[in-house]
Amino acid sequence: ACFRLLCSLLLPALFLSGILCICLVLLLWGVRLWIQRKKQLSSAGRDGKRPLLVAFFHPYCNAGGGGERVLWCAIRTLQKKYRNVTCVVYTGDRDATGEEIVEGAFRRFNIKLIHPVKFVFLEKRFLVEASLYPHFTLLGQSLGSVFLGWEALLKCVPDIYIDSMGYAFTIPLFKYLGGCRVGCYVHYPTISTDMLSVVRNQDTRFNNAAFITSSPLFSKFKLVYYYFFAFMYGLVGSCSDVVMVNSSWTLNHILSLWRTGACTSVVYPPCDVQTFLDIPLEVEKSTSEYSIVSIGQFRPEKDHPLQIRAFAKLLKEKRVGQQPSLKLILIGGCRNQRDEERVNNLKRLCEELGVSDDVIFRINIPFEELKRHLAEATIGLHTMWNEHFGIGVVECMAAGTVILAHNSGGPKLDIVVPHEGYVTGFLAEDEDSYAETMAYIFSLSPEKRLQIRENARRSVHRFSDQHFEDTFLLSVEPLFK
């Protein structure tokens, strides 16, 4: 009797599910047809031909960071190569006009576009802001990006869609409903296998709170949530026709999550190396003071406390009177009050370790001052674990400092690697190895240091604008066929 009851309930349920699935498919098909019709009705160019619309999804295009440099270089590259192309930028920067954004790109990056760009201003950018989702932030921002992507698609239907800011959940939307050829440039995977291992091993980090690591139940729940999100992220990413990643580190993570090997390639971000290569490179003159310079925003993942602790250890172990005095100069940007509080905490750490007189903080300084500090520095210091690329590392090498970066991520796999068999810099992992390596660098003769600096300079041409243009065009070519 019980079995008969189950059968009598199961069959109608299956029938109803089938009907609902068919309705959903028909609805999505209808939406796609409506969007395609909308696209066909869009205005033609002066010669009667409709230009090819290439749209970049970059809600924060006026931010002025490394990701924005990639965006403007990519647009300029397409404008140089393709004549019948109109570039569109979906942005949420409604506090600036299109002219102001383009002028800002020229002022910050010295990138002058050949043709005008069409801006589509989005009203719902708040849906992708992390502050809106105090919990389940990854999922919240990703679902928010779908709604923001839907707004973008309704306002302008492109022929080619490129997500240039890491909003992978918009890709299926533009591919299947917009009927676009889709590509993406991945600066940093939204979730990585490293993040999964941090939660699995119950490590406390800036993105894995202590109350979670101390509770096996919370850790298991977060791990299930991360695995579910990683599965969904892999699913949406695999819809891409072309995938570009900024480093070998990002490549390894994207290949393991998206499984898009056939259409994925490394396109190094364009670094403004020429500006730093203009700094003259000479053998150091005998000096009474050496400086160690660190460049990076005052964010938790940059791990400035490690730099201060390693520097304090170096000073403690240095024999008095044997070497000139040393200064650690921390150069970085403060975006908000939280960053300023972080700087105050770092200053307190300097006091605790007794190195306040030897550590200098330079916050939000002009570019010319940054160049001057780099020109005078002996060591360029970088301590972020699993930095996905490391533009600051490239800039230090181009400027002629001896780089000491973290033995992980982009610096380990792509940047601080031998060039034509010669050493270009050094890597370290913890307080002891950083202090030891700094001591070793200072123990080298000025001539030996000059040799390393010259090797480093020769190696950074791989990260120039020209190299980016060549590899970018090669990668996006399938989208234009």
Side-chain angles (χ1 to χ4, degrees), residues 98-390:
E99 290 78 15
E100 285 169 347
I101 293 171
V102 170
E103 172 56 34
F106 177 63
R107 197 176 60 251
R108 289 185 190 117
F109 307 121
N110 198 27
I111 295 170
K112 195 155 185 68
L113 301 179
I114 300 158
H115 305 296
V117 169
K118 180 184 172 185
F119 288 93
V120 175
F121 291 94
L122 307 174
E123 291 165 32
K124 297 184 177 64
R125 188 176 74 178
F126 67 90
L127 291 173
V128 296
E129 282 168 15
S131 56
L132 193 63
Y133 313 99
H135 305 292
F136 301 101
T137 313
L138 295 179
L139 193 60
Q141 284 182 291
S142 297
L143 292 175
S145 74
V146 175
F147 287 101
L148 189 65
W150 177 245
E151 183 194 343
L153 187 59
L154 290 184
K155 285 186 172 174
C156 174
V157 188
D159 300 288
I160 295 168
Y161 171 79
I162 298 173
D163 162 41
S164 51
M165 224 186 142
Y167 293 107
F169 281 72
T170 61
I171 292 167
L173 190 71
F174 279 84
K175 181 168 187 171
Y176 299 114
L177 291 185
C180 313
R181 281 159 278 170
V182 295
C184 59
Y185 187 96
V186 184
H187 297 273
Y188 198 86
T190 307
I191 190 165
S192 67
T193 48
D194 287 331
M195 285 165 74
L196 292 169
S197 67
V198 163
V199 178
R200 197 186 305 114
N201 300 334
Q202 293 181 245
D203 291 344
T204 302
R205 288 190 184 267
F206 73 93
N207 58 356
N208 197 35
F211 81 90
I212 289 174
T213 58
S214 60
S215 164
L217 182 67
F218 281 146
S219 284
K220 292 236 174 3
F221 180 75
K222 186 169 182 178
L223 193 61
V224 169
Y225 159 55
Y226 267 21
Y227 270 111
F228 167 72
F229 185 82
F231 171 74
M232 294 301 294
Y233 183 59
L235 216 57
V236 296
S238 65
C239 299
S240 306
D241 299 314
V242 161
V243 180
M244 292 166 280
V245 295
N246 67 341
S247 69
S248 303
W249 182 84
T250 308
L251 175 74
N252 295 337
H253 287 286
I254 288 298
L255 290 181
S256 68
L257 291 164
W258 290 11
R259 308 196 184 281
T260 49
C263 60
T264 305
S265 53
V266 176
V267 178
Y268 291 129
C271 306
D272 192 12
V273 292
Q274 196 51 54
T275 308
F276 293 97
L277 290 171
D278 291 341
I279 296 170
L281 201 60
E282 299 159 354
V283 177
E284 302 153 33
K285 298 171 183 74
S286 57
T287 176
S288 59
E289 186 177 284
Y290 284 131
S291 66
I292 300 159
V293 167
S294 154
I295 308 171
Q297 283 186 319
F298 289 101
R299 302 206 307 256
E301 64 270 26
K302 297 293 180 185
D303 205 353
H304 289 92
L306 173 58
Q307 299 180 1
I308 294 165
R309 286 196 304 271
F311 179 67
K313 197 174 184 69
L314 173 72
L315 290 186
K316 193 179 173 185
E317 292 176 0
K318 181 169 76 79
R319 294 197 188 101
V320 182
Q322 198 173 2
Q323 283 183 327
S325 68
L326 303 177
K327 292 283 182 217
L328 172 62
I329 303 168
L330 302 179
I331 301 172
C334 275
R335 302 162 298 172
N336 49 40
Q337 199 178 337
R338 285 175 73 182
D339 286 358
E340 283 163 23
E341 283 168 20
R342 213 166 274 125
V343 170
N344 291 331
N345 290 337
L346 292 171
K347 286 177 179 175
R348 276 195 289 274
L349 177 64
C350 291
E351 283 169 23
E352 285 167 28
L353 296 170
V355 294
S356 291
D357 295 341
D358 304 300
V359 179
I360 300 160
F361 288 83
R362 305 298 293 129
I363 296 153
N364 299 332
I365 61 172
F367 186 70
E368 285 308 310
E369 193 182 335
L370 166 74
K371 272 179 76 173
R372 183 172 58 77
H373 281 299
L374 281 172
E376 293 167 1
T378 302
I379 295 175
L381 194 60
H382 189 274
T383 47
M384 181 176 166
W385 172 74
N386 268 345
E387 169 76 86
H388 49 296
F389 179 70

Side-chain angles (χ1 to χ4, degrees), residues 13-63:
L14 285 170
F15 181 70
L16 190 63
S17 301
I19 294 283
L20 286 170
C21 283
I22 290 165
C23 289
L24 184 65
V25 168
L26 288 171
L27 176 68
L28 292 172
W29 184 61
V31 169
R32 182 184 161 105
L33 287 177
W34 172 65
I35 288 171
Q36 294 306 304
R37 179 86 182 127
K38 198 175 161 147
K39 184 176 175 178
Q40 284 163 7
L41 292 171
S42 61
S43 57
R46 287 177 193 170
D47 56 358
K49 285 182 184 175
R50 185 180 168 278
L52 196 69
L53 286 183
V54 181
F56 291 83
F57 190 75
H58 209 106
Y60 296 87
C61 75
N62 205 27

